[in-house]
Amino acid sequence: MLIQFIMNRLPNLLRSTLLLPILLLSFCKPEADYQHLLTDSSALSTANRHLTEVMVHDIFSPPVSSRIYAYASLAAYEVTALSDSSYHSMTGKLNGFKADNFQVSLPCSYPLAALVAHYKVGQTLVFSEDKINQKRETLYQKLKDNGMPDDIFENSVKLGNAVAAHVLDYASGDNYHESRSYEKYTVTSKPGTWTPTPPAYMEGIEPHWNKIRPMTMDSAAQFVPAKPYPFDTDPESKFYKEAKAVMDIGNQLNDNQSDIAFFWDCNPYKMNIKGHVMFAEKKITPGGHWMGIASIAATGQNQDWKATSQTLAYTSIALFDAFISCWDEKYRSVLIRPETYINQYMDENWLPILQTPPFPEYTSGHSVASKAAAVALTHLIGDQFHLVDSTEVPYGLPIREFNSFKEASEEAAISRFYGGIHYMQAIDEGVEQGRMVGNHVLSKISENNKETLSSK
């Protein structure tokens, strides 16, 4: 109004001279500045990182973490399926996941709706809801500051929340909440069975995880690995030799082997002792590490938001079913850890370079999960991707580089041998178990007309 008042009182020529740049400024004003904040891989990758940070803070176990990633990523992907017919909904592909009729109010930003769905599901499934809420509100404010119209914002949030509610309803039927009241694992005195390990001697984590509904497998026991070698203390037995190999490598690790062990440690239950005080060290889980790799891959491929949602969804579903399959075997065989066996039958003072996590030995969880995730990522992106893995940098570790997801998964698997927390059989059979799970997941959810992800 003030500009109009002034212009009305100026001579025509002067008025025209002043009006032109004002009109140009008005027309060139970046009304859609907010869109560049949403359309590439960065926003969803950031949401994934935020979720990881909160889970590290809250100290979720590897299996539970995989569940949170899977449902949050599924919610974001379902918005993608609504926005683009070349991406197919997971309804009918995942066990018990039924379709819903979502009402889309236009105008709407589907990329924002995907973020809203991801943040909402993640916030609901973690403990520190306020931390997720703070990250989400920061995003909202940034979008508004960059010109997102109110109607687009409101319609997008409404859609995202509706999809999130649908996915959360699906999650409520996976038996997780019921399993919180199941009895704890009871340690037995049977030779060769798992017992808690130092320094915290924690009870067995998630002994009933095989009762969680898988997303694609027929049951937790669909991919049962070969039985572990029979427990034996005879120095000529396979079991004794497996344990001796762990002890021997632990006694002669070179720097590179130590670096590999620490890089893939991913133990959220690591305890530190100072004097009489014991406190937990915040660490990422194996699933968190691979979800970080998925985000790095999405960025490296210049994926748009839709392709990124698919990368995160495929990876997280593979991880979810991998942990169910692995934990099913862990509490079937309930096998003694190398640290316990070596201390009892070989060297009472021997310690692994890594702290043994609080659950049975067989199979190696990192081996199963890493292979399953690598299978999914290789299917989507290819087997020649050069990975600069900076996932562990926030936790004080340097980057490592790999020439493929397969190479990264193989290093993750062997790291458990170097770390002194798994026998080689658990690693080898774990890799095969992960391969079977990963291929099965792809057979259920992959889209025949999309061999690779679209790029920006």
Side-chain angles (χ1 to χ4, degrees):
M1 294 296 293
L2 178 60
I3 292 176
Q4 183 179 358
F5 176 80
I6 295 172
M7 297 300 287
N8 287 339
R9 284 158 177 75
L10 291 174
N12 288 341
L13 180 60
L14 180 58
R15 184 188 310 164
S16 299
T17 303
L18 291 175
L19 184 59
L20 180 59
I22 293 175
L23 287 173
L24 288 174
L25 181 62
S26 175
F27 284 123
C28 295
K29 182 180 179 182
E31 296 289 353
D33 269 4
Y34 67 88
Q35 292 182 355
H36 82 274
L37 300 172
L38 298 171
T39 53
D40 63 10
S41 66
S42 59
L44 271 174
S45 293
T46 299
N48 182 59
R49 188 185 75 247
H50 289 160
L51 188 57
T52 295
E53 291 170 353
V54 173
M55 284 196 280
V56 169
H57 175 272
D58 288 349
I59 314 182
F60 284 102
S61 70
V64 176
S65 294
S66 73
R67 177 179 184 267
I68 298 171
Y69 284 122
Y71 288 121
S73 299
L74 173 62
Y77 176 78
E78 286 301 298
V79 176
T80 292
L82 286 172
S83 74
D84 186 338
S85 60
S86 65
Y87 292 87
H88 302 159
S89 170
M90 295 288 182
T91 57
K93 298 180 180 182
L94 305 182
N95 298 326
F97 190 41
K98 299 177 181 179
D100 199 353
N101 184 25
F102 296 105
Q103 300 299 315
V104 180
S105 301
L106 298 177
C108 174
S109 168
Y110 285 105
L112 174 57
L115 285 165
V116 170
H118 188 285
Y119 276 115
K120 180 62 177 179
V121 171
Q123 179 189 34
T124 304
L125 299 181
V126 299
F127 300 141
S128 300
E129 296 182 26
D130 59 317
K131 292 185 179 296
I132 295 288
N133 186 58
Q134 290 169 9
K135 302 292 187 181
R136 182 179 57 194
E137 291 303 318
T138 298
L139 168 68
Y140 287 175
Q141 190 59 54
K142 192 172 184 179
L143 291 171
K144 293 177 180 179
D145 291 345
N146 279 269
M148 175 170 272
D150 290 343
D151 56 344
I152 294 179
F153 176 82
E154 291 168 3
N155 291 340
S156 306
V157 171
K158 182 179 179 181
L159 176 61
N161 283 332
V163 173
H166 180 58
V167 171
L168 287 169
D169 181 64
Y170 173 54
S172 69
D174 70 0
N175 207 40
Y176 174 77
H177 293 292
E178 292 82 351
S179 69
R180 300 306 88 188
S181 62
Y182 293 169
E183 63 184 17
K184 298 178 181 180
Y185 175 74
T186 301
V187 177
T188 72
S189 58
K190 182 180 177 181
T193 57
W194 176 82
T195 57
T197 49
Y201 296 94
M202 295 178 64
E203 62 189 28
I205 299 300
E206 298 298 340
H208 304 287
W209 199 249
N210 65 346
K211 296 180 178 65
I212 302 298
R213 177 190 60 203
M215 284 193 164
T216 69
M217 296 186 299
D218 297 338
S219 71
Q222 184 170 353
F223 300 107
V224 176
K227 291 183 178 181
Y229 298 135
F231 174 77
D232 203 326
T233 59
D234 184 341
E236 297 302 315
S237 68
K238 287 184 177 180
F239 200 94
Y240 188 97
K241 290 177 180 179
E242 284 270 298
K244 187 175 187 304
V246 176
M247 182 178 68
D248 289 346
I249 191 68
N251 289 337
Q252 56 190 23
L253 287 174
N254 59 40
D255 290 343
N256 184 53
Q257 291 167 332
S258 297
D259 289 344
I260 289 171
F262 286 122
F263 183 77
W264 295 100
D265 184 16
C266 304
N267 180 5
Y269 292 106
K270 184 177 184 300
M271 303 297 292
N272 294 313
I273 300 176
K274 286 190 176 180
H276 298 290
V277 178
M278 182 180 297
F279 58 95
E281 180 177 332
K282 301 291 186 179
K283 278 183 173 287
I284 201 170
T285 63
H289 193 131
W290 277 96
M291 290 301 288
I293 288 175
S295 289
I296 291 169
T299 301
Q301 289 291 101
N302 294 319
Q303 290 177 359
D304 63 12
W305 70 274
K306 291 180 285 189
T308 301
S309 76
Q310 190 181 45
T311 297
L312 296 177
Y314 274 48
T315 305
S316 62
I317 292 170
L319 289 167
F320 182 77
D321 275 8
F323 276 107
I324 291 175
S325 180
C326 178
W327 250 246
D328 176 59
E329 178 56 40
K330 280 186 179 294
Y331 284 95
R332 178 186 298 107
S333 53
V334 202
L335 193 63
I336 188 173
R337 284 280 184 172
E339 179 175 10
T340 307
Y341 184 94
I342 293 168
N343 289 164
Q344 289 181 358
Y345 304 108
M346 295 178 174
D347 181 353
E348 64 180 8
N349 296 314
W350 185 86
L351 290 174
I353 190 174
L354 298 183
Q355 196 171 108
T356 302
F359 34 80
E361 194 272 346
Y362 192 80
T363 50
S364 159
H366 220 325
S367 302
V368 180
S370 296
K371 186 61 175 182
V375 166
L377 286 166
T378 300
H379 171 80
L380 294 171
I381 295 173
D383 59 2
Q384 297 299 315
F385 182 77
H386 182 74
L387 172 64
V388 181
D389 187 357
S390 58
T391 307
E392 296 284 350
V393 169
Y395 308 98
L397 294 171
I399 64 169
R400 291 187 70 83
E401 298 189 35
F402 307 95
N403 293 315
S404 67
F405 302 111
K406 178 176 181 288
E407 184 180 302
S409 70
E410 289 172 345
E411 185 178 277
I414 197 63
S415 74
R416 319 317 267 169
F417 181 62
Y418 298 154
I421 59 177
H422 279 294
Y423 313 108
M424 275 304 304
Q425 189 193 16
I427 294 166
D428 292 339
E429 292 296 334
V431 169
E432 176 60 15
Q433 189 177 5
R435 184 192 65 78
M436 291 189 293
V437 171
N439 285 333
H440 177 77
V441 168
L442 291 178
S443 74
K444 292 292 186 179
I445 69 173
S446 61
E447 301 167 12
N448 293 332
N449 63 332
K450 292 179 74 65
E451 290 301 322
T452 58
L453 289 177
S454 61
S455 297
K456 182 179 177 182

